[in-house]
Amino acid sequence: MKAGAHDYLIKGHLTRLVPAVERELREAQERQKRHRAEQALQEADEVLRKYTDELEELYNHAPCGYHSLDKDGVFVRINDTELNMLGYRRDEIIGKKKFSDLLAAESLQIFQENFPLFQQRGWVRDLEFQMIRKDGTILPVSLSATAMTDMTGNYLMSRSVVIDITERKRSENELRDSEARYRLLFESNPNPMWVFDLETLAFLAVNQAAIAHYGYSKEEFLSMTLADIIPNADMTSLHQALSTFTPGQNDFGVWKHRKKDGSLIDIKALGHIFSFAGKWTSLVLLDDISDRLQAEQKIREQAALLDVATDAIFVQDLEQHLLFWNKSAERLYGWETAEVLGKSAESLLYRHEETLPHFEAMQATLAKEGQWRGELQQVTKDGKDIRVESRWTLVCNEAGNPKSILIVNTDITEKKQLETQLLRTQRLESLGTLASGIAHDFNNILTPILAVAQLLPLKFPNLDENTQQLLRMLEGSAKRGADLVKQILSFTRRGMEGSRTIVQTRHLLCDVAQVAQRTFPKSIETQTNIAPNLWTVFADATQLHQVLMNLTVNARDAMPDGGILEISAENLCVDESYARMHVDAEVGSYIVITITDTGKGIPPEIMDRIFDPFFTTKEVGKGTGLGLSTVMGIIKGHCGFVNVYSEMGKGSIFKVYLPSCQVTETQVAADAELPRGNGELILVVDDELTICEIAQTTLESHNYRILTASDGIEALALYAQYKNDISVVLIDMMMPGMDGSATILTLQRMNPQVQIIAMSGLMSNWTTAQKRNLGIQDFLPKPFTAQALLSTVLQHLDKARQS
């Protein structure tokens, strides 16, 4: 045993073997257990030391403060986090400072009030204190503490967790300030606002503007739901409508709301959906747009009225950029609204610099008077020149500053064309009145000259050849003078109607074309283009021939270096629109004769004068200036009209429009012999003595008896004396004192069956109805030949005998 054995056995005593072995085994096991326990204890101590160090590390560097206080409230332990929060060192706190020493006055009172409860209950949670740092600043903290007691329940110490709530307090303060600001905005907002529960649709809050606008009190609002103010709405339909919106900002659109007085208003609603206290709610800002919608409707109605207006109406800013463009502007200018908005009016509506208006002067007038009006030359999209009467009105903003210009334009292109035609017609009428007066006097002069030239060879049949040649020259000159007067009267439309019948103008056109081909220079090519089914006209063929010859000769003279002369004709149906464009046009069927040349063209500055009588651009001795005026007179005498288009260097186009007819053509025969009378008594009345004498000589030389009178009074006296013997009264219509009309009426009172032949140089002044009313059976135009005088008298006497 001394040698180190744990036990021994005596040989021969094996009975002790088993107990000994068992004992030895137990002792060995105990030794092993003690060894393992000692080893485990060492390991546990090692682990404990390790964990203790780690726990201490965690304790000191925890995100919140930890401290322990003894029963007197003195710090016995504090971690580094709380030391850093307070700015102290550990040796300045442990055993030296009480927790209450570090509390601000208000927090100290809270601590003292809650400490007995803490001791009694053994814990406290989330008490907020204001601790005083070492530097004197305040540290807001949240404290939770647990009390430690002995077995008998006596308070020994406390352990506390301290959390720095500086940021939370700052956030809370900011939140309170924000809530205050937003509540102020909510309450003071001039627009109605409210908050409602998206589930129950109940109002949770309303501002004063909503109360004032809707007429409900706050208590009434808070007892209502959204369905109570929306007409014909139920909870289901409102939930369906609101279910389409998502959290955050939403445009709720336009709604109809009913106010407390029952009136309906249109509301524009903007809402913000958010979760509050576990419920989805919405803050809504409302805008009553009833007045705006009414104004917009009124604007739409006004815009519709502007679109149906016949005038072009548009708005431009002060830099001439277009802002508004109505339908009539689209129709007038050809530009669609989308094409012009934002574009410059100057670049769209004006072609040349010379047609640009004086914008500076116009704007000066606008600034001074607020409006401007005048006529402008403008251009359409397709390049057509138009004339407009323009009214400009300056539009100002609420501050009275100019912001735009309202422009109303009336298309007066057609009006201006008609005015030009009317002025030309009036000028020609004035010249015609003057020319007709001259023609009348000239006819009175030519009548005796022509009659004497014809009577002298009859009175003196044995005159030598030289004298007869002189008389023939005299007669020829008188006839040429008479033809000149006829031209003047044709221009004035006061010449006699001539012999009118159904005329196939195709034949006239072909004749004129043949004359041109044969007589015009070879450098001029004559072309014809005549419709195969050209209508007929009721006209004087001789006068139409004169019109065509005048126009073709003018075309020849316009092409001294050669060119193309085209003579064409076609049928045309004039409608109301075309008739409005031409003063002399009427709705109906026309034939259009066109004379086209490729000559020099007519200068624009003389275009309005080409139909004036005696106006010519030809050299002296090469033109009378009566060609085109005669054309105009003849065509107007046939109830037609003439249009001219010319371009310098390219040529001219003359279009002659004649009313057409579809009647059977008739033939007119003429006598060539000088008829003689049977001793009938004829009363000749004329204030021109020479005419009376010539008529008396001519008629007496052909077996008539003659009485002459120089005025109406003398004629009435002679007729009263020889009423039963006078077969015909040959009377001039234009006499001083009692004129032809008054004399005829008096003669008819004396004898309703009196036979009248009127003489005048202006026969077309009298319509058929006027002739019939005056009882005039025949007219004798001045100057007249012996043939015309004798034939008219004989025909009249024959008709009188037959009746």
Side-chain angles (χ1 to χ4, degrees):
M1 296 290 287
K2 289 181 181 179
H6 293 94
D7 200 356
Y8 66 94
L9 291 174
I10 298 175
K11 295 180 178 181
H13 297 277
L14 294 175
T15 56
R16 295 181 56 203
L17 177 61
V18 173
V21 171
E22 291 177 350
R23 183 176 64 250
E24 188 62 30
L25 289 173
R26 285 193 299 272
E27 290 178 357
Q29 289 174 349
E30 289 176 358
R31 285 195 298 275
Q32 289 177 353
K33 287 180 181 179
R34 284 195 299 272
H35 177 73
R36 284 196 297 270
E38 289 173 357
Q39 187 177 2
L41 181 61
Q42 289 176 357
E43 291 176 357
D45 288 341
E46 193 67 31
V47 171
L48 181 59
R49 282 194 298 272
K50 180 179 178 182
Y51 281 137
T52 300
D53 293 341
E54 290 179 356
L55 288 173
E56 188 68 23
E57 183 72 16
L58 291 173
Y59 176 81
N60 281 319
H61 295 90
C64 54
Y66 290 103
H67 67 251
S68 299
L69 304 177
D70 63 17
K71 64 180 180 179
D72 295 323
V74 177
F75 285 95
V76 295
R77 195 177 184 194
I78 186 170
N79 70 348
D80 292 347
T81 301
E82 189 168 354
L83 287 172
N84 292 332
M85 289 163 56
L86 295 172
Y88 286 98
R89 297 192 310 275
R90 185 171 275 103
D91 59 355
E92 294 175 325
I93 290 289
I94 300 299
K96 297 178 181 179
K97 293 285 187 180
K98 292 183 176 182
F99 180 72
S100 58
D101 295 338
L102 302 181
L103 296 178
E106 294 180 0
S107 296
L108 179 60
Q109 183 178 354
I110 295 173
F111 174 76
Q112 292 172 348
E113 291 174 352
N114 285 275
F115 190 70
L117 178 63
F118 169 67
Q119 288 180 321
Q120 178 184 350
R121 194 166 59 180
W123 59 270
V124 67
R125 296 287 182 270
D126 299 324
L127 275 180
E128 293 185 3
F129 296 107
Q130 289 186 332
M131 298 184 71
I132 303 174
R133 294 189 180 97
K134 182 178 179 180
D135 60 6
T137 59
I138 298 299
L139 172 69
V141 297
S142 173
L143 182 140
S144 297
T146 303
M148 307 296 291
T149 60
D150 58 16
M151 297 298 293
T152 61
N154 294 320
Y155 175 72
L156 296 178
M157 61 181 299
S158 66
R159 292 175 179 172
S160 303
V161 178
V162 179
I163 299 175
D164 183 355
I165 59 172
T166 302
E167 291 300 323
R168 193 182 83 187
K169 281 296 182 181
R170 182 181 296 111
S171 299
E172 289 176 353
N173 291 336
E174 291 177 352
L175 179 61
R176 279 194 298 272
D177 293 342
S178 176
E179 288 177 348
R181 286 195 302 271
Y182 280 108
R183 179 159 295 278
L184 179 62
L185 289 173
F186 180 80
E187 291 296 341
S188 61
N189 197 304
N191 283 6
M193 296 183 70
W194 57 50
V195 180
F196 71 94
D197 188 322
L198 282 173
E199 182 64 29
T200 65
L201 303 183
F203 291 105
L204 304 178
V206 293
N207 70 350
Q208 291 299 318
I211 293 170
H213 197 72
Y214 284 81
Y216 297 103
S217 65
K218 184 175 183 179
E219 292 73 18
E220 289 174 321
F221 254 123
L222 298 182
S223 66
M224 296 163 56
T225 67
L226 200 59
D228 295 326
I229 65 167
I230 299 179
N232 304 319
D234 54 45
M235 301 289 284
T236 302
S237 62
L238 287 176
H239 277 131
Q240 290 176 348
L242 294 172
S243 65
T244 59
F245 301 108
T246 57
Q249 193 75 23
N250 287 276
D251 184 351
F252 288 162
V254 178
W255 297 71
K256 282 281 187 186
H257 283 184
R258 180 187 291 110
K259 298 166 70 172
K260 186 175 182 179
D261 61 8
S263 61
L264 296 179
I265 55 176
D266 294 291
I267 290 296
K268 173 74 173 176
L270 296 175
H272 185 81
I273 297 176
F274 60 96
S275 178
F276 178 73
K279 295 182 179 181
W280 286 106
T281 57
S282 179
L283 170 67
V284 183
L285 173 67
L286 306 167
D287 183 15
D288 187 346
I289 60 173
S290 303
D291 292 340
R292 191 181 80 193
L293 291 181
Q294 292 175 1
E296 290 176 353
Q297 178 63 24
K298 187 174 182 180
I299 290 173
R300 284 193 293 271
E301 292 173 355
Q302 292 173 344
L305 290 176
L306 292 180
D307 280 338
V308 300
T310 57
D311 290 335
I313 301 174
F314 52 92
V315 178
Q316 63 183 39
D317 62 20
L318 301 182
E319 286 74 37
Q320 299 189 44
H321 297 115
L322 293 166
L323 308 176
F324 174 79
W325 189 261
N326 78 335
K327 293 294 183 184
S328 292
E330 291 183 352
R331 289 189 292 269
L332 176 59
Y333 295 101
W335 297 98
E336 297 292 335
T337 300
E339 296 178 294
V340 302
L341 293 185
K343 301 290 183 63
S344 169
E346 179 179 337
S347 63
L348 291 177
L349 305 182
Y350 302 97
R351 184 197 300 272
H352 305 297
E353 291 187 2
E354 58 266 21
T355 63
L356 283 176
H358 300 291
F359 287 119
E360 293 182 359
M362 293 161 61
Q363 290 174 350
T365 303
L366 273 176
K368 181 179 179 181
E369 302 178 6
Q371 58 183 0
W372 175 89
R373 68 184 305 156
E375 293 183 5
L376 298 175
Q377 187 75 28
Q378 295 181 331
V379 65
T380 63
K381 182 180 180 179
D382 58 7
K384 177 184 176 183
D385 288 317
I386 60 172
R387 190 79 176 176
V388 298
E389 181 181 355
S390 190
R391 284 90 71 198
W392 293 30
T393 302
L394 189 63
V395 180
C396 299
N397 58 20
E398 296 178 354
N401 298 320
K403 69 172 185 178
S404 59
I405 302 170
L406 171 67
I407 299 175
V408 180
N409 284 348
T410 303
D411 184 7
I412 59 172
T413 307
E414 180 178 324
K415 176 185 174 184
K416 284 296 180 182
Q417 291 173 348
L418 293 176
E419 284 180 356
T420 301
Q421 294 180 33
L422 182 59
L423 289 173
R424 180 186 298 164
T425 301
Q426 290 175 341
R427 184 170 68 246
L428 294 177
E429 289 290 340
S430 299
L431 291 170
T433 302
L434 175 63
S436 64
I438 297 173
H440 173 75
D441 293 336
F442 199 39
N443 277 334
N444 286 338
I445 296 172
L446 288 174
T447 298
I449 296 174
L450 182 58
V452 168
Q454 292 177 331
L455 289 175
L456 283 177
L458 299 176
K459 191 173 184 66
F460 304 101
N462 299 322
L463 292 174
D464 59 76
E465 182 61 28
N466 188 31
T467 303
Q468 291 180 5
Q469 179 65 26
L470 292 175
L471 289 175
R472 285 194 294 270
M473 291 175 58
L474 178 63
E475 182 181 357
S477 297
K479 286 182 177 181
R480 285 195 296 274
D483 290 338
L484 181 59
V485 173
K486 285 181 180 180
Q487 281 193 317
I488 296 175
L489 293 178
S490 295
F491 147 70
T492 65
R493 294 190 298 165
R494 298 185 181 186
M496 66 178 182
E497 293 183 357
S499 177
R500 295 195 181 184
T501 184
I502 301 298
V503 176
Q504 285 283 355
T505 50
R506 167 188 298 278
H507 305 310
L508 287 178
L509 293 169
C510 292
D511 289 344
V512 171
Q514 289 179 0
V515 171
Q517 289 172 345
R518 293 171 182 173
T519 61
F520 286 4
K522 299 300 181 181
S523 59
I524 296 177
E525 178 185 351
T526 302
Q527 300 176 354
T528 58
N529 183 17
I530 303 172
N533 58 343
L534 191 65
W535 295 328
T536 59
V537 294
F538 185 72
D540 184 329
T542 302
Q543 290 182 346
L544 290 187
H545 191 275
Q546 182 181 2
V547 167
L548 296 174
M549 286 305 301
N550 284 354
L551 292 177
T552 53
V553 168
N554 282 350
R556 179 203 65 188
D557 294 342
M559 298 184 288
D561 299 325
I564 298 174
L565 168 64
E566 182 179 357
I567 301 174
S568 61
E570 61 183 345
N571 301 323
L572 173 69
C573 289
V574 173
D575 56 15
E576 293 183 0
S577 176
Y578 192 94
R580 286 198 303 269
M581 295 292 292
H582 300 84
V583 174
D584 298 314
E586 295 182 359
V587 177
S589 300
Y590 285 76
I591 68 164
V592 184
I593 300 172
T594 305
I595 308 298
T596 305
D597 67 67
T598 57
K600 297 178 291 185
I602 303 172
E605 59 270 16
I606 68 170
M607 183 66 77
D608 289 339
R609 301 175 58 197
I610 61 174
F611 291 105
D612 291 354
F614 309 111
F615 176 81
T616 181
T617 58
K618 299 177 182 178
E619 299 177 6
V620 177
K622 291 189 177 182
T624 62
L626 289 173
L628 288 180
S629 62
T630 300
V631 168
M632 180 64 75
I634 291 174
I635 298 304
K636 285 193 174 184
H638 285 75
C639 299
F641 57 97
V642 181
N643 280 345
V644 184
Y645 173 79
S646 183
E647 191 170 344
M648 291 299 295
K650 293 187 177 181
S652 303
I653 300 174
F654 283 79
K655 287 183 175 290
V656 176
Y657 295 77
L658 289 169
S660 70
C661 64
Q662 298 291 334
V663 297
T664 305
E665 186 173 355
T666 60
Q667 299 292 333
V668 178
D671 290 328
E673 299 179 358
L674 292 178
R676 296 180 62 83
N678 294 311
E680 294 91 345
L681 181 61
I682 298 175
L683 174 60
V684 179
V685 186
D686 199 307
D687 60 307
E688 291 287 339
L689 182 59
T690 54
I691 293 178
C692 287
E693 292 176 350
I694 292 300
Q696 181 178 3
T697 303
T698 302
L699 291 169
E700 285 180 344
S701 64
H702 289 78
N703 199 26
Y704 290 100
R705 295 177 297 135
I706 303 301
L707 295 174
T708 61
S710 61
D711 55 37
I713 301 299
E714 186 179 357
L716 293 176
L718 288 172
Y719 190 80
Q721 184 176 356
Y722 299 99
K723 178 174 66 174
N724 296 328
D725 298 327
I726 295 176
S727 299
V728 176
V729 177
L730 184 62
I731 184 172
D732 184 27
M733 297 303 296
M734 299 181 65
M735 297 184 295
M738 179 180 285
D739 62 9
S741 300
T743 304
I744 291 171
L745 290 174
T746 306
L747 289 171
Q748 289 173 340
R749 292 192 188 99
M750 297 170 65
N751 178 15
Q753 304 301 321
V754 64
Q755 300 298 309
I756 303 292
I757 298 176
M759 297 184 296
S760 176
L762 307 172
M763 302 307 292
S764 66
N765 273 348
W766 300 87
T767 65
T768 303
Q770 288 174 320
K771 299 172 186 177
R772 187 167 52 250
N773 291 337
L774 285 174
I776 300 173
Q777 288 80 27
D778 285 297
F779 265 100
L780 180 63
K782 293 180 180 179
F784 50 79
T785 63
Q787 170 72 37
L789 174 60
L790 295 170
S791 297
T792 301
V793 171
L794 180 61
Q795 290 172 5
H796 183 84
L797 290 174
D798 289 342
K799 287 189 292 183
R801 293 189 190 100
Q802 293 173 2
S803 61

